[in-house]
């Protein structure tokens, strides 16, 4: 199992690895204020759907510690404002809202302020531990889909950095490797934030898994040349009909995979599944700053003042998805039914 912990509660503070600094430097930040946690999520120092959920939960625990309140009612009003600050960080990954909802529910059922503060920290730790357990299970199911000798294409980073410490799409890959399968990974660099080049490549190197780094625009080429046996990606939100929001560029890969007869798998825990939305069109897509597109490594690469679009995610319609790998097993179409069963 990977020892890497992207986020951890350490003596009344939250310790995160600053993912904006990787792979150049391994910098750890110690956060003791929920506002700093909100900024860290917004600035993508901590990122990846499951890790964002855990960060929000610990952010609530941090915020709760600092509340001075005479009554439970007063405490809950202040906690609500902390929850709103954390909810306003990133809109697409449903794990954020799922975790905040759990934390708010725990707060409401407590008797007094001291008891609620303790319960909130316990719940955040539980969310962290449950996420890791879920990833371990889904990775084990997913590893069954990987045959010896497979070359797997992945996009963005869905590894230990993006989760409680094991990974979803990369968790499946790691589990297959640990079962002795001879595998090779193609990691797409993932413009504009380069999670593939900076983070997935860094994790694969640490895990000693052989890989080839490619730019996003090369995926069609390698899929059409028969170089890829399957695609595995993570998810930020999976809705009732099986449509999936994931890192921008995922949709292109899914179409190219189908066109070339290559299976396209999505690996995600239940905390990423949102049955309240019926189709992908309803998922809010985060629009990030134009500078992520106009600058590369701090250097301007476009004329000043150009109009830019920067959606951070896209929607892959369910018809392109061969299977969704969850902690309850590998599910397939019709997703409306199989997802309902998983969420029971
Ligand atoms: O913008 P990011 O880096 O937070 O986006 C991350 C992704 O799109 C991941 O693929 C997804 O969250 C799954 S992580 C297990």
């Amino acid at each position: 199992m990977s020892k890497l912990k992207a986020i951890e509660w350490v003596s009344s503070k939250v310790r995160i690895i600053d993912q904006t600094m990787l792979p150049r430097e391994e910098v750890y930040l110690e956060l003791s204020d929920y506002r700093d946690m909100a900024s860290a999520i917004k600035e993508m120092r901590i990122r990846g759907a499951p890790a964002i959920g855990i960060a929000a939960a610990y952010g609530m625990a941090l915020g709760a510690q600092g509340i001075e309140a005479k009554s439970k009612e007063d405490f809950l009003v202040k906690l609500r404002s902390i929850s709103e600050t954390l909810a306003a960080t990133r809109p697409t990954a449903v794990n954020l809202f799922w975790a905040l909802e759990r934390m708010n529910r725990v707060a409401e059922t407590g008797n007094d302020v001291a008891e609620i503060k303790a319960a909130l920290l316990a719940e955040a730790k539980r969310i962290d531990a449950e996420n890791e357990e879920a990833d371990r299970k889904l990775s084990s199911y997913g590893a069954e889909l990987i045959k010896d000798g497979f070359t797997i294409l992945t996009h963005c980073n869905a590894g230990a950095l993006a989760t409680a410490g094991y990974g979803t799409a990369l968790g499946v890959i790691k589990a297959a490797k640990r079962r002795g399968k001879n595998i090779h990974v193609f990691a797409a660099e993932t413009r504009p934030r380069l999670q593939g080049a900076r983070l997935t490549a860094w994790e694969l190197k640490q895990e000693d898994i052989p890989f080839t780094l490619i730019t996003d625009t090369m995926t069609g080429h390698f899929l059409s040349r028969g170089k890829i046996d399957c695609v595995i990606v993570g998810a930020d939100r999976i809705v009732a009909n099986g449509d999936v929001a994931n890192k921008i560029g995922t949709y292109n890969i899914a179409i190219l995979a189908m066109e070339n007869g290559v299976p396209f798998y999505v690996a995600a825990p239940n905390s990423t599944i949102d049955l309240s939305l019926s189709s992908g069109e309803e998922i809010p897509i985060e629009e990030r700053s134009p500078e992520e597109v106009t600058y590369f490594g701090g250097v301007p690469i476009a004329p000043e003042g150009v109009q830019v679009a920067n959606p951070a995610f896209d929607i892959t319609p369910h018809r392109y998805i061969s299977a969704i790998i969850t902690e309850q097993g590998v599910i397939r179409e019709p997703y409306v039914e199989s997802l309902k069963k998983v969420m029971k």
Side-chain angles (χ1 to χ4, degrees), residues 19 44 46-52 90 93 95 135 155-159 162-163 167-169 193 195 199 233-236 245-248 250 267-269 272 286 288 312-313:
Q19 299 190 33
M44 295 172 66
I46 177 97
R47 41 121 331 259
I52 291 171
R90 297 194 72 191
N95 309 60
D135 285 358
H155 187 59
C156 195
N157 171 266
T163 62
T168 56
R193 293 292 297 241
Q195 291 93 329
L199 310 177
V233 295
D236 286 81
N246 192 49
K247 182 50 55 194
I248 192 79
T250 302
T272 303
E286 177 182 13
R288 293 191 62 87
F313 302 95

Side-chain angles (χ1 to χ4, degrees), residues 155-157 187-190 194-202 213:
H155 187 59
C156 195
N157 171 266
E189 67 168 350
T190 319
L194 304 175
Q195 291 93 329
R198 297 188 303 105
L199 310 177
T200 296
W202 185 75
L213 178 64

Side-chain angles (χ1 to χ4, degrees), residues 162 196 220 255 300 304:
I255 293 175
E304 220 174 286

Side-chain angles (χ1 to χ4, degrees), residues 8-9 19 77-78 138 143 173 178 184 197 207 226 234 314 317 323 344:
E8 213 171 353
W9 183 270
Q19 299 190 33
V77 168
K78 290 175 173 153
L138 72 86
I173 289 168
R178 281 170 199 164
H184 190 92
E207 291 284 328
D314 59 24
K344 247 183 199 160

